[in-house]
Amino acid sequence: MKAMPTRRLTRLMVVLALLPLAGACSDDGGGESGGPQAAGAFRAAGSGDHVVIATDNGLRLRPADGRGVTVDDRVDQHWSHRGKVWTLDLSCADRTAGDEGCPRMPYVEIPDGVSVTATARNAGVDVAGVGAALDITTVNGDVTVTRSGRDDADVRLSTRNGSVRATSVAAERVHAATTNGDVVVGCAAVPSGVSAATVNGSVDVTVPHDSPAYRVTASTDNGRATVGVPAQRADRNHTMTLTTVNGDVDARRD
């Protein structure tokens, strides 16, 4: 990466926990190894791996072309690991996040079949086309998910100051929550359970047209609650819990 005048250092942390491990580094002992690495892919073992990503900024998750986890090459990469846990320290050396060449929302490409935990802090998380179990959290920003998830795994999405918007999401169970913002969930596959909650905002959930009856709890203090999914003869395996304090609640089939 081209050297630039010294400014505030922005650091991102990506922790890769891969079980079983098939890494790009030959050192598989219990110690630590690190240092700048060339841009490229960290080879994953395949279905069943777990990738944990943490950043103080935002993040974009995209599908990988192949079985490797690939990281945005516009940021410096420093790898280390201890046992089965791989840590990738990303930094924009001598630059400020958001400057040209130093993305505020760097991308990480994820292969199909893994599970992903991602935690951000001061920006949003955007996920598109990632076929994985998802656990996505930020504090100050939106969580946006499109055409992602797996119909045999959970999808968990949360923020504090921002909205959660998931469209064409596939999941066995969907959990979506915020404090200040709307929660919008559109399911591409029939989920067994949906929980969606906010305090200041509306909740809107759509399930496929062939979805079965659900046991629905829909509540709001200041707004209206409308349930447009069948509820009679619903079994214990299909439930919805949709809540807000200030806003509307809607549940429907598409």
Side-chain angles (χ1 to χ4, degrees):
M1 182 175 288
K2 189 175 181 180
M4 299 298 293
T6 301
R7 299 185 185 178
R8 179 173 60 86
L9 183 67
T10 299
R11 302 183 69 81
L12 313 176
M13 295 297 295
V14 179
V15 180
L16 305 182
L18 301 178
L19 299 174
L21 177 67
C25 180
S26 60
D27 181 3
D28 59 359
E32 294 187 357
S33 61
Q37 301 290 328
F42 182 92
R43 298 302 299 178
S47 181
D49 290 343
H50 184 201
V51 179
V52 181
I53 306 170
T55 172
D56 284 337
N57 292 295
L59 187 68
R60 290 183 297 141
L61 297 180
R62 295 294 186 266
D65 183 12
R67 295 178 59 191
V69 176
T70 304
V71 182
D72 198 327
D73 63 4
R74 294 173 295 172
V75 291
D76 295 336
Q77 304 181 25
H78 298 269
W79 288 94
S80 63
H81 80 278
R82 184 176 295 277
K84 301 291 187 179
V85 178
W86 290 82
T87 302
L88 175 60
D89 183 358
L90 302 181
S91 65
C92 291
D94 304 327
R95 295 184 64 80
T96 299
D99 284 354
E100 183 180 356
C102 182
R104 183 169 176 76
M105 293 183 64
Y107 68 79
V108 176
E109 295 180 348
I110 304 294
D112 287 345
V114 302
S115 59
V116 181
T117 299
T119 304
R121 181 174 297 176
N122 295 311
V125 179
D126 181 77
V127 185
V130 177
L134 299 171
D135 189 343
I136 308 297
T137 303
T138 190
V139 176
N140 298 307
D142 295 337
V143 175
T144 305
V145 178
T146 306
R147 304 182 313 279
S148 297
R150 291 177 48 156
D151 58 11
D152 60 349
D154 289 0
V155 168
R156 297 177 177 272
L157 312 171
S158 65
T159 184
R160 184 177 301 169
N161 297 306
S163 295
V164 176
R165 301 184 183 277
T167 58
S168 299
V169 64
E172 174 65 21
R173 289 173 295 272
V174 181
H175 307 270
T178 186
T179 300
N180 298 304
D182 297 331
V183 176
V184 179
V185 176
C187 297
V190 176
S192 64
V194 179
S195 65
T198 185
V199 175
N200 299 304
S202 295
V203 174
D204 190 309
V205 173
T206 304
V207 293
H209 67 278
D210 58 349
S211 295
Y214 283 86
R215 293 186 176 187
V216 181
T217 299
S219 64
T220 178
D221 289 348
N222 299 298
R224 60 177 178 80
T226 303
V227 177
V229 299
Q232 293 184 349
R233 295 185 296 277
D235 60 38
R236 295 179 179 179
N237 296 322
H238 293 89
T239 62
M240 286 189 190
T241 303
L242 316 177
T243 63
T244 186
V245 175
N246 300 304
D248 297 335
V249 174
D250 290 281
R252 66 176 70 87
R253 293 197 295 190
D254 62 15

